Amino acid sequence: MTDFTQFPASFTWGVATSAFQIEGAWNVDGKGPSIWDTFTHTPGKIIDGTTGDVACDHYHRYPEDVAIMAGLGVDAYRFSMAWSRVQPQGKGAWNEAGWDFYDRLLKELESRHIDAHVTLFHWDLPQGLQDEGGWLNRDTAYHFATYAAEVARRFGNRVKTIATHNEPWCTANLGYGNAQFAPGVADLKQSVQVSHHLLLSHGLAMSAMREVGSTAQLGIVLNQWTADPATDSEADRAAAAFEYARSVEWFMDPIFKGHYPELALRVYGDNAPVVEEGDLAIIHQKIDFMGLNYYFRSFCSTETPPRQPECKLGKTDMGWEIYPDGLTELLLKLHAAYALPPIYITENGMANPDTIVDGEIADEARIDFVLRHLKALNDARLQGVNIQGYFLWSLLDNFEWNSGYAKRFGIVHVDYATQKRTLKHSAHWYRDYLIQQRPQKTANAA
């Protein structure tokens, strides 16, 4: 795919990572353990048996990584903070050495004129809070608000945006629904209750951050998809309607409409969450932006075995269908249903089985993937959806959760044995693409 899509000069171009996937230094300088430290240290939880103990060693190599970003010419860097690095137990004493790390990272970004977009929680709950019930314990939502307020107090005037959560659907459904992710629970009722406490914590954190006078834009990042019936059968259409309700509307409706979707509540029945008086008013408050992560659509089949999509554009190395049209369809559907704030596409990218040949990593499939999705999001933008930026996932190959290091999403290759970074063809392409987007702004030399 070679066509070029021109975006407005004000459009934000960035790359994204998360703390547990790249930082390493899991027990350095006073950091407390997170549930992902515990999970990865438990035999049998990670497909390749690895941990995030070192990961990309970004904790020590952040100046090199920021220099790579500057060489790409990006405007912005989206990253998450490790809660247990700055507050080892998730409550109580702060760890100044942890705050110092993020201060140094922000200074490095500021020196390169790269805007910081911070996520407070990307799944790595302090183990100390998990020991008291984790997100199943309502108190965790209040501890999260205290943490959020402290981040906003210290850094809220130095960062562009602060997102409360990244993909709370994953925390609830993969962490508590099917045990695929930390903390490794498989219980529908717990999963649904956790999703409510996550949303409550979002609302509490929004209020807490506003109270300290942060100038950052405040919001949340949600992973979303269209839910398409595999056939026109009544069963498939009903399955698709429920999938969309439990995944997209379950998080959107409380934030933007002040209630949970009726269809999902009806299907959940006795598994519906306990919602205390006033909770929905806390959740249902203005947000300054919404981050949207898109990788694939949901293809809903009730047949046995389930009918599979055609995958006309193939699949990624995760086995996910490549379906860029779903991004346009999703954005237009959301635009029609909700009064949306400005949107950032905060994650989009693909896992690819990248290998180095003669010093080169030819990942043209990733370039094609990104180009098609940029066209898809621009199609939605031209139809009235207020999209302000795009963050390519991911800057670096990194620890891919329960897949360990077997899957590579980065536009920069990481040799985990030596920590050598090598720009893939997609990184060179992204740099050149941004130069085309902004002829008045050339990329800084790395």
Side-chain angles (χ1 to χ4, degrees), residues 356-375:
I356 299 179
V357 179
D358 297 329
E360 299 278 322
I361 302 103
D363 59 337
E364 272 62 27
R366 181 175 285 113
I367 297 170
D368 184 75
F369 179 100
V370 174
L371 274 170
R372 290 180 185 276
H373 284 81
L374 288 174
K375 182 181 184 302

Side-chain angles (χ1 to χ4, degrees), residues 99-282:
W99 292 111
D100 287 347
F101 166 68
Y102 293 110
D103 175 65
R104 295 194 302 273
L105 175 59
L106 288 175
K107 286 177 178 174
E108 197 73 23
L109 292 166
E110 289 159 359
S111 74
R112 298 285 192 162
H113 307 290
I114 298 172
D115 289 335
H117 293 247
V118 173
T119 303
L120 298 176
F121 185 76
H122 198 127
W123 312 345
D124 48 350
L125 186 74
Q127 182 62 42
L129 292 182
Q130 186 63 39
D131 292 343
E132 298 180 356
W135 286 111
L136 194 61
N137 183 346
R138 185 181 171 91
D139 289 346
T140 299
Y142 292 88
H143 295 313
F144 180 72
T146 300
Y147 158 59
E150 188 65 10
V151 173
R153 186 182 72 79
R154 291 179 184 243
F155 299 144
N157 297 328
R158 296 174 61 187
V159 305
K160 185 79 170 179
T161 69
I162 301 176
T164 53
H165 287 276
N166 176 80
E167 300 184 347
W169 182 95
C170 291
T171 299
N173 289 279
L174 304 183
Y176 283 85
N178 66 10
Q180 183 178 332
F181 283 4
V185 177
D187 185 291
L188 175 60
K189 189 173 184 65
Q190 288 190 36
S191 171
V192 176
Q193 188 64 52
V194 161
S195 70
H196 175 66
H197 288 163
L198 289 163
L199 282 164
L200 176 63
S201 76
H202 157 75
L204 292 168
M206 292 292 291
S207 298
M209 289 190 288
R210 288 192 170 116
E211 286 174 8
V212 302
S214 168
T215 59
Q217 296 176 316
L218 306 178
I220 191 170
V221 171
L222 303 173
N223 56 319
Q224 300 187 333
W225 44 76
T226 55
D228 297 340
T231 70
D232 197 40
S233 73
E234 184 176 343
D236 284 359
R237 285 188 283 110
F242 174 61
E243 170 60 25
Y244 192 78
R246 79 173 191 95
S247 299
V248 176
E249 293 174 337
W250 186 260
F251 294 94
M252 293 291 286
D253 281 11
I255 293 171
F256 292 104
K257 296 182 177 180
H259 59 77
Y260 283 107
E262 201 56 49
L263 171 60
L265 287 174
R266 185 169 68 251
V267 174
Y268 282 146
D270 292 341
N271 291 312
V274 175
V275 179
E276 295 191 8
E277 186 176 353
D279 284 2
L280 287 167
I282 292 169

